[in-house]
Amino acid sequence: MIWLTWRQFRGPALAGVVALALLTACLLHLGFDIRESYDNHRAQCAGLADCGPQLSRFSADHENTLLYLAAVLGLIPGLVGMFWGAPLVAREVEAGTQRLVWSQSVTRRHWLAVKLAVVGLAGMVLTGAASLLLTWAAGPVDQVADNRFSTILFGSRNVAPIAYAAFALVLGTIIGLLVRRTVPAMALTILTFVVVQFLVPNVVRPHFLPAEHRTVPMTAQAINQARSLGSITGAPVVKGLTVPDAWVTDVSELLTRTGEPLDEGIFDGCFTDAPATGTAEGPYGDTAVCLAEHDLHVTIAYQPDSRYWSFQWLESAFYLLLAGLLAGFGFWRLQRRPS
């Protein structure tokens, strides 16, 4: 059964090997180029008390390229599920060829288990190799930028993408088992995977571990450091606040000294008709000064960077658990409806 599965899968496997070889050459070249650039920028720091500006330029020179690569490589698990997982069962059920295997003393569950094991292992190896290559290539930039919890970066580095591939492969296989048609199964697989990949970082990941909290006074300087003020609903909120060496998962509304949310009328007044001071600086100018006069603060929930590897392993376990549950459902479904 393993040999039969390999013979059926060798075409896609060969395509995966060729793609990985090309990707390896690209990332090796990029990695050595990044390291050379890092050494050059470090050399410019000789005799300087602060190397921050040089390292910031180094990070800016490469961050866009690495961001695009992370986004592209983040799709690899989805493509594994779409092109390897979805047709794995759907193609055979659509053609009826699975009956020939079942008539040769191979049980239905054994048939499905071998397919999942062989193709799933190949998908995990391919994704893991791509992820580790990108992690190595981007190492100096990641160290300088210190933004490892970024949604795109987190999902394209280290071990988590391996678990994504396992989940995507099983997801595609089970969808193919249910839909029983290859093309619709492929479309549903990539759509479902993208939805899950959106929900987990934004809804599930922040709650893997209890967050730390701190209260931050909203002085004019602090408000000017925010990425944006307000929302489409008019709520008195600030967005884009940061905590050193941490991933900010939630920021409360602007709160008064008593802990009550700032009145929207006051917020709108400062936002649209702040008294002119003539001395205000920063992106929000007099608006920031006006808001600061109301003695405001926010409560920030965050995850320290020291928990990065805990989150990598927890998210990997979460996706592997989902894959296991889907596989269990597939075995049950196959036994209930074998034809």
Side-chain angles (χ1 to χ4, degrees), residues 147-211:
N147 192 26
R148 296 187 299 173
F149 269 113
S150 167
T151 298
I152 295 179
L153 299 188
F154 186 93
S156 63
R157 305 287 201 270
N158 297 303
V159 299
I162 301 174
Y164 300 165
F167 165 73
L169 190 283
V170 177
L171 174 69
T173 302
I174 302 309
I175 289 178
L177 178 65
L178 297 175
V179 176
R180 304 167 73 86
R181 294 180 63 84
T182 303
V183 175
M186 293 171 69
L188 281 174
T189 296
I190 193 64
L191 176 62
T192 305
F193 180 77
V194 169
V195 170
V196 172
Q197 285 289 81
F198 173 79
L199 292 176
V200 169
N202 293 285
V203 180
V204 180
R205 185 186 298 162
H207 305 290
F208 280 141
L209 291 173

Side-chain angles (χ1 to χ4, degrees), residues 251-273:
V251 179
S252 70
E253 292 186 356
L254 289 167
L255 304 175
T256 63
R257 181 185 301 177
T258 60
E260 298 294 326
L262 177 67
D263 182 82
E264 290 187 10
I266 296 176
F267 179 77
D268 290 339
C270 285
F271 197 82
T272 60
D273 191 25

Side-chain angles (χ1 to χ4, degrees), residues 273-303:
D273 191 25
T277 63
T279 59
E281 298 180 355
Y284 302 111
D286 291 327
T287 295
V289 175
C290 177
L291 290 172
E293 291 177 350
H294 292 278
D295 194 15
L296 304 175
H297 66 275
V298 294
T299 299
I300 294 179
Y302 66 94
Q303 298 287 352

Side-chain angles (χ1 to χ4, degrees), residues 22-38 58 61-70 73 133-141 157:
L22 295 173
L23 181 62
T24 299
C26 174
L27 289 178
L28 285 175
H29 180 271
L30 177 64
F32 288 123
D33 182 61
I34 286 176
R35 280 156 176 78
E36 181 180 357
S37 175
Y38 178 75
F58 160 73
D61 287 344
H62 300 282
E63 61 183 0
N64 286 338
T65 299
L66 290 173
L67 187 63
Y68 294 143
L69 275 174
L73 296 185
L133 280 166
L134 179 59
T135 302
W136 169 81
V141 178
R157 305 287 201 270

Side-chain angles (χ1 to χ4, degrees), residues 23-247:
L23 181 62
T24 299
C26 174
L27 289 178
L28 285 175
H29 180 271
L30 177 64
F32 288 123
D33 182 61
I34 286 176
R35 280 156 176 78
E36 181 180 357
S37 175
Y38 178 75
D39 291 339
N40 291 336
H41 281 83
R42 289 288 299 180
Q44 297 174 15
C45 297
L48 298 179
D50 182 15
C51 197
Q54 285 76 12
L55 293 180
S56 295
R57 285 197 296 271
F58 160 73
S59 177
D61 287 344
H62 300 282
E63 61 183 0
N64 286 338
T65 299
L66 290 173
L67 187 63
Y68 294 143
L69 275 174
V72 171
L73 296 185
L75 292 175
I76 289 180
L79 297 177
V80 166
M82 180 180 182
F83 290 104
W84 290 6
L88 192 61
V89 169
R91 183 173 50 204
E92 293 215 43
V93 173
E94 196 172 11
T97 55
Q98 84 282 5
R99 298 189 185 93
L100 177 62
V101 180
W102 295 347
S103 67
Q104 305 298 318
S105 72
V106 176
T107 65
R108 298 173 179 87
R109 290 181 177 177
H110 179 66
W111 172 78
L112 180 59
V114 171
K115 283 182 170 292
L116 287 176
V118 172
V119 183
L121 181 60
M124 293 169 72
V125 169
L126 172 69
T127 305
S131 171
L132 295 178
L133 280 166
L134 179 59
T135 302
W136 169 81
V141 178
D142 288 347
Q143 182 179 0
V144 171
D146 195 21
N147 192 26
R148 296 187 299 173
F149 269 113
S150 167
T151 298
I152 295 179
L153 299 188
F154 186 93
S156 63
R157 305 287 201 270
N158 297 303
V159 299
I162 301 174
Y164 300 165
F167 165 73
L169 190 283
V170 177
L171 174 69
T173 302
I174 302 309
I175 289 178
L177 178 65
L178 297 175
V179 176
R180 304 167 73 86
R181 294 180 63 84
T182 303
V183 175
M186 293 171 69
L188 281 174
T189 296
I190 193 64
L191 176 62
T192 305
F193 180 77
V194 169
V195 170
V196 172
Q197 285 289 81
F198 173 79
L199 292 176
V200 169
N202 293 285
V203 180
V204 180
R205 185 186 298 162
H207 305 290
F208 280 141
L209 291 173
E212 302 285 342
H213 295 84
R214 70 167 55 177
T215 298
V216 178
M218 284 290 96
T219 62
Q221 180 182 3
I223 292 173
N224 279 316
Q225 291 174 350
R227 186 178 67 245
S228 64
L229 274 177
S231 68
I232 59 175
T233 62
V237 298
V238 291
K239 299 178 182 178
L241 296 179
T242 61
V243 172
D245 301 320
W247 168 39

